[in-house]
Amino acid sequence: MIQINAHYLKLKASYLFSEIAKRVEAYQQQHPDAPVIRLGIGDVTRALPDACIHAFHQAIDEMAEDRSFRGYGPEEGYAFLREAIAENDFKARGADIGADEIFVSDGAKCDTGNIQEIFDINTRIAIPDPVYPAYLDTNVMAGRTGAYHDGRYEGIVYLNGNAENGFIPDLPAEPVDLIYLCFPNNPTGATITKDQLKQWVDYAAANKAIILFDAAYEAFIRDDSLPHSIYEIDGARDVAIEFRSFSKTAGFTGTRCAYTVVPKSLMAYTATGEAHSVHGLWNRRHSTKFNGVSYPVQRAAEAVYSTAGKAQMQELVNYYMENAALIRKEMQALGHTLIGGENSPYIWVATGADSWSFFDMLLENAGVVCTPGAGFGTCGEGYIRISAFNSHENVTAAMSRIRQALKS
Amino acid sequence: MIQINAHYLKLKASYLFSEIAKRVEAYQQQHPDAPVIRLGIGDVTRALPDACIHAFHQAIDEMAEDRSFRGYGPEEGYAFLREAIAENDFKARGADIGADEIFVSDGAKCDTGNIQEIFDINTRIAIPDPVYPAYLDTNVMAGRTGAYHDGRYEGIVYLNGNAENGFIPDLPAEPVDLIYLCFPNNPTGATITKDQLKQWVDYAAANKAIILFDAAYEAFIRDDSLPHSIYEIDGARDVAIEFRSFSKTAGFTGTRCAYTVVPKSLMAYTATGEAHSVHGLWNRRHSTKFNGVSYPVQRAAEAVYSTAGKAQMQELVNYYMENAALIRKEMQALGHTLIGGENSPYIWVATGADSWSFFDMLLENAGVVCTPGAGFGTCGEGYIRISAFNSHENVTAAMSRIRQALKS
């Protein structure tokens, strides 16, 4: 008899974003003439940069001729893209990362979800709260947790974020092996300083732990003193894997391209302490279960690093950051405490009520969709996340509606 | 201390295709002026069909304007593609598969590798020999096998293919829960009749087993009596998952699009026998660890089902099948027993010597790269796989070189 992976039964029945979609749909059926404005899911809304469009078309023209056609590419990505990444995203910032340490993929969601496979089933996992749900769910599926109750899974070391620590969790009190960190943070928009990040790198080095650093939102950093990459921190090459994406920075959510950095000096161990290259393990995983990113998509991603592409990407980021500034200003004027939105596209707002009630109230009274903080973990209760990914017109209209709703 | 997934250490050190690449590189360094002809890796060589190119460009133009831009799409694929697939690949052949049972992905390699995750770790697995290595490797990584020795992993039920059974394995003698089948077969090119496939479906139904049916090469079937899909067999909806790909049929190896069919009536069980929908499990896995296929790529794949697209795809398939016919004729004329190449792009040739020696001899004396059968399992020893994916010119030249080499 074929048996299921019973760990799946531990998963909370409803995924955050499907629950939101359900409530929005119900609202729209009751109010067919009241269009909602979505500041919920962190999805970009503006067209791909011209430089990417141009490169994309050009690559498709290559695929139209036998002599320039490309079949299977290297699973880890074409050298042209890996070299552009290493040069621009790392070496230019003084981070010592080589092109051969970069694995191009079709999404940071896939990579952050798949990475746990190469580690032992009994790995002690530290995960922030609030957090992007996929880190947790993929470890539940793998069987690294016990049951779910009171908003938490047994067997996970939760790193609490709250108003007191500014949503920068403290170092874990008990020993852990694998630590998920995300800065600029999703969902809170919190950022980490180099000094703070150095403490995590030192902790990992002292404990032979590995940090999984999700930097999908680094392009939104405005404060020059903040690190864009964990590899700007001394010693990080020996303790960290970094995840990046073109999704939010260059509008690739529907085009799909991302990458993961696994330094060759990063080691993990057998039970008897024998060191193995994590790069080698990930390479084996990646080449066995993945067949590379679409060639034209890789050419479009490469164009992000052209002179025109850089300027266009910056313009896109600036556009969304103007929205973020407006959201911050308006919500503060309404008396809400908040963080984020200065170096990140997310604004994390204290609601003064429980998250889902505030979500429902905003939907019902303002026709605006946000994300309830409680959906990101127990520490998210009492907060909502507002996303800056929308048009100026929609964000302005949403803020005006929210003003009306909250004042009435 | 962070520990590795020790199951990775059981994997054979060298992946088949990397070993081939190493030997070809060594040969080329010694013979810089003798260009090799590659009939090894099954990669297509001809341009994408015009209909796909046209749709691809058009979709990119949509991504260039805010008003038609697409961000995150549905993880399971856009309805336009899923509906075209259900209509053309299934309903048109009398197979009762709905659009909502289709999960679009970026590759059959990913799907056939990932599918095992949703089943129990103690699942008894039956895998053919010879076989596409990824089925086996992904189960090794997951920890479903013991050690590797004498060419086989402990804990796997191997289904032997050989000259006696025409490389259609017999039903397993011991009980199994999950069965990998691939027809038209990679690497042997063997095909299965409806009556033969019905025996497997009946076996699975009787044993509450699930069949993982890899039909990536169905477009190469010429014999109208052969099934293109397992769902042409009565009862298969309740026992089978099918994998398909646009890679070989429409030249998408570098463009990346595939799909997996999980019928809603397919069940797997808890240890106590409670039935769960496999569709629900796969949906959860797919939406947690994957973020959908690039929108323009899905539009290009949809175009395969247009009138022009169908004709162009057929022309591509015919082109490669002319190569297959030539390879068959030439190798038979040289006195080799073979199968495949009539309803598949692969020709499986008895070498009369061990596989790697014959591989080395063809490389050294003819400058032609094939794939040694032993790389696909112990039952592949004594065979090579020749691929029809190349230009007529190259295949003709390769056959002429092989003729010279084998006659001398």
Side-chain angles (χ1 to χ4, degrees):
Chain A
M1 182 179 75
I2 178 78
Q3 287 187 32
I4 65 168
N5 173 350
H7 301 302
Y8 274 59
L9 302 180
K10 297 175 194 161
L11 289 164
K12 273 186 302 172
S14 177
Y15 186 63
L16 171 61
F17 294 109
S18 15
E19 178 60 29
I20 293 174
K22 211 160 64 183
R23 297 195 188 200
V24 172
E25 201 187 322
Y27 171 83
Q28 285 194 307
Q29 281 184 350
Q30 282 165 18
H31 306 83
D33 302 326
V36 300
I37 300 177
R38 293 164 193 276
L39 304 178
I41 291 178
D43 193 5
V44 297
T45 58
R46 294 192 64 207
L48 284 184
D50 275 352
C52 301
I53 292 287
H54 183 73
F56 216 160
H57 276 308
Q58 215 164 28
I60 289 167
D61 286 337
E62 288 179 52
M63 299 296 265
E65 304 288 337
D66 290 355
R67 61 184 163 71
S68 51
F69 174 80
R70 306 240 189 170
Y72 289 123
E75 285 98 348
E76 67 277 13
Y78 278 101
F80 63 76
L81 179 55
R82 300 169 88 198
E83 282 161 13
I85 290 168
E87 201 52 57
N88 291 281
D89 288 346
F90 297 99
K91 288 182 186 148
R93 295 198 63 82
D96 173 27
I97 293 295
D100 57 358
E101 297 177 315
I102 288 157
F103 293 85
V104 176
S105 84
D106 67 327
K109 180 177 173 183
C110 316
D111 288 348
T112 54
N114 292 330
I115 195 79
Q116 45 78 29
E117 288 180 30
I118 63 173
F119 300 110
D120 188 69
I121 188 69
N122 295 313
T123 300
R124 295 166 299 185
I125 310 268
I127 292 188
D129 177 355
V131 77
Y132 175 57
Y135 306 158
L136 207 45
D137 289 356
T138 52
N139 278 296
V140 176
M141 290 169 166
R144 286 200 190 81
T145 72
Y148 179 80
H149 46 72
D150 300 334
R152 294 194 156 183
Y153 290 97
E154 288 169 357
I156 293 287
V157 175
Y158 286 90
L159 304 171
N160 294 335
N162 47 48
E164 289 67 46
N165 61 24
F167 290 91
I168 310 289
D170 300 326
L171 294 172
E174 51 195 305
V176 298
D177 309 313
L178 194 63
I179 302 159
Y180 290 78
L181 293 179
C182 173
F183 291 105
N185 189 256
N186 175 16
T188 69
T191 50
I192 195 164
T193 66
K194 286 185 182 173
D195 285 348
Q196 287 169 324
L197 193 50
K198 177 82 172 107
Q199 291 176 30
W200 285 95
V201 168
D202 291 345
Y203 172 90
N207 292 276
K208 287 193 173 173
I210 286 180
I211 297 170
L212 302 175
F213 192 76
D214 186 344
Y217 296 94
E218 60 76 31
F220 296 88
I221 293 174
R222 300 302 187 85
D223 178 342
D224 283 344
S225 73
L226 297 175
H228 286 242
S229 164
I230 196 168
Y231 304 115
E232 294 177 41
I233 310 300
D234 270 353
R237 274 187 58 87
D238 300 328
V239 299
I241 292 171
E242 183 165 301
F243 304 94
R244 293 278 191 105
S245 173
F246 296 94
S247 282
K248 311 301 165 86
T249 56
F252 271 55
T253 53
T255 300
R256 314 299 316 140
C257 198
Y259 66 87
T260 290
V261 185
V262 188
K264 292 193 165 175
S265 50
L266 182 65
M267 294 291 149
Y269 305 87
T270 62
T272 55
E274 188 190 325
H276 284 266
S277 155
V278 176
H279 185 279
L281 290 169
W282 183 244
N283 188 46
R284 184 69 203 231
R285 196 265 164 217
H286 201 71
S287 57
T288 302
K289 297 194 186 180
F290 184 65
N291 235 336
V293 170
S294 183
Y295 168 70
V297 171
Q298 291 191 58
R299 282 293 185 198
E302 180 194 21
V304 171
Y305 299 104
S306 65
T307 308
K310 283 178 188 171
Q312 291 159 11
M313 189 191 83
Q314 200 50 60
E315 196 275 321
L316 270 183
V317 167
N318 292 346
Y319 182 94
Y320 293 126
M321 290 305 283
E322 284 173 33
N323 289 343
L326 177 65
I327 296 167
R328 278 181 60 87
K329 195 184 82 180
E330 292 280 353
M331 294 307 290
Q332 279 176 324
L334 287 164
H336 286 275
T337 309
L338 54 79
I339 63 166
E342 288 177 312
N343 296 285
S344 107
Y346 297 128
I347 298 93
W348 184 246
V349 182
T351 56
D354 82 278
S355 297
W356 279 104
S357 304
F358 199 84
F359 169 91
D360 287 335
M361 187 275 294
L362 278 193
L363 179 59
E364 195 60 41
N365 300 342
V368 172
V369 183
C370 65
T371 313
F376 297 104
T378 55
C379 292
E381 183 53 272
Y383 292 87
I384 55 160
R385 185 190 79 175
I386 305 182
S387 155
F389 293 120
N390 213 315
S391 66
H392 287 335
E393 296 67 30
N394 281 342
V395 171
T396 308
M399 287 301 122
S400 152
R401 290 194 201 170
I402 289 177
R403 210 182 309 126
Q404 297 270 321
L406 292 186
K407 281 189 171 162
S408 64
Chain B
M1 181 179 75
I2 178 78
Q3 287 186 33
I4 65 169
N5 173 348
H7 301 303
Y8 274 60
L9 302 180
K10 296 174 193 161
L11 290 164
K12 273 186 302 171
S14 177
Y15 186 65
L16 170 60
F17 294 108
S18 18
E19 178 60 29
I20 292 175
K22 210 159 65 182
R23 295 194 191 199
V24 172
E25 199 186 324
Y27 171 83
Q28 284 193 309
Q29 281 183 351
Q30 281 165 19
H31 306 82
D33 302 325
V36 299
I37 299 178
R38 292 164 194 275
L39 304 178
I41 291 178
D43 193 5
V44 298
T45 58
R46 294 191 65 206
L48 284 185
D50 274 352
C52 301
I53 291 289
H54 183 71
F56 215 159
H57 276 308
Q58 217 165 26
I60 288 168
D61 286 336
E62 288 178 53
M63 300 296 266
E65 303 288 338
D66 290 355
R67 62 187 161 70
S68 51
F69 175 80
R70 307 239 189 172
Y72 289 123
E75 284 99 347
E76 66 277 14
Y78 279 101
F80 63 76
L81 179 55
R82 299 169 88 198
E83 282 161 13
I85 290 169
E87 202 50 58
N88 290 279
D89 287 347
F90 297 99
K91 288 184 185 145
R93 294 198 64 83
D96 173 27
I97 292 295
D100 57 357
E101 297 178 316
I102 288 159
F103 294 84
V104 176
S105 83
D106 67 326
K109 181 177 174 183
C110 316
D111 288 348
T112 54
N114 292 330
I115 195 79
Q116 44 79 29
E117 289 180 30
I118 63 173
F119 300 110
D120 188 69
I121 187 70
N122 294 312
T123 301
R124 295 166 300 184
I125 311 268
I127 292 189
D129 176 355
V131 76
Y132 175 57
Y135 306 158
L136 207 46
D137 288 355
T138 53
N139 277 296
V140 176
M141 290 168 166
R144 286 201 190 80
T145 72
Y148 180 81
H149 44 75
D150 299 333
R152 293 195 156 182
Y153 290 97
E154 287 169 358
I156 293 287
V157 174
Y158 286 89
L159 305 171
N160 293 335
N162 48 48
E164 289 67 45
N165 60 24
F167 289 92
I168 310 289
D170 299 327
L171 294 173
E174 52 195 304
V176 299
D177 309 310
L178 194 63
I179 302 159
Y180 290 78
L181 292 179
C182 172
F183 291 106
N185 190 256
N186 175 16
T188 69
T191 50
I192 195 163
T193 65
K194 286 185 183 175
D195 286 346
Q196 287 169 323
L197 193 49
K198 177 80 172 110
Q199 291 176 31
W200 286 95
V201 168
D202 291 345
Y203 172 90
N207 292 276
K208 288 194 171 173
I210 287 180
I211 296 171
L212 302 175
F213 192 75
D214 186 343
Y217 296 94
E218 59 77 32
F220 296 88
I221 292 175
R222 299 303 186 85
D223 178 342
D224 283 342
S225 73
L226 297 175
H228 287 241
S229 165
I230 195 168
Y231 304 115
E232 295 177 41
I233 311 299
D234 271 352
R237 274 187 58 87
D238 300 329
V239 300
I241 293 171
E242 183 165 302
F243 304 93
R244 293 276 192 105
S245 173
F246 296 93
S247 282
K248 311 300 166 86
T249 56
F252 271 55
T253 52
T255 300
R256 314 300 315 141
C257 198
Y259 66 86
T260 290
V261 185
V262 188
K264 291 194 165 174
S265 51
L266 182 66
M267 294 292 150
Y269 305 87
T270 62
T272 56
E274 188 190 325
H276 283 266
S277 153
V278 176
H279 184 279
L281 290 170
W282 183 245
N283 188 46
R284 183 70 204 230
R285 196 265 165 218
H286 201 70
S287 57
T288 303
K289 298 194 187 180
F290 184 64
N291 235 335
V293 169
S294 184
Y295 168 70
V297 171
Q298 291 192 58
R299 283 292 184 198
E302 181 194 19
V304 171
Y305 299 104
S306 64
T307 308
K310 283 177 188 172
Q312 290 159 11
M313 190 191 82
Q314 200 51 59
E315 195 275 321
L316 270 183
V317 167
N318 292 347
Y319 182 93
Y320 294 126
M321 290 306 282
E322 285 174 32
N323 289 342
L326 177 66
I327 296 167
R328 278 180 61 85
K329 195 184 82 180
E330 292 280 352
M331 294 307 291
Q332 279 177 323
L334 286 164
H336 286 275
T337 307
L338 53 81
I339 64 166
E342 287 177 311
N343 296 284
S344 106
Y346 296 128
I347 299 94
W348 186 247
V349 181
T351 55
D354 83 278
S355 297
W356 280 106
S357 303
F358 199 84
F359 169 91
D360 287 335
M361 186 275 295
L362 277 194
L363 179 60
E364 194 61 41
N365 299 344
V368 172
V369 183
C370 65
T371 313
F376 297 103
T378 54
C379 292
E381 183 54 271
Y383 293 87
I384 56 160
R385 184 188 80 175
I386 305 181
S387 155
F389 293 120
N390 213 315
S391 66
H392 286 337
E393 297 66 31
N394 280 342
V395 171
T396 309
M399 287 302 121
S400 152
R401 290 194 201 170
I402 288 176
R403 210 183 308 128
Q404 297 271 321
L406 293 186
K407 281 188 171 163
S408 65

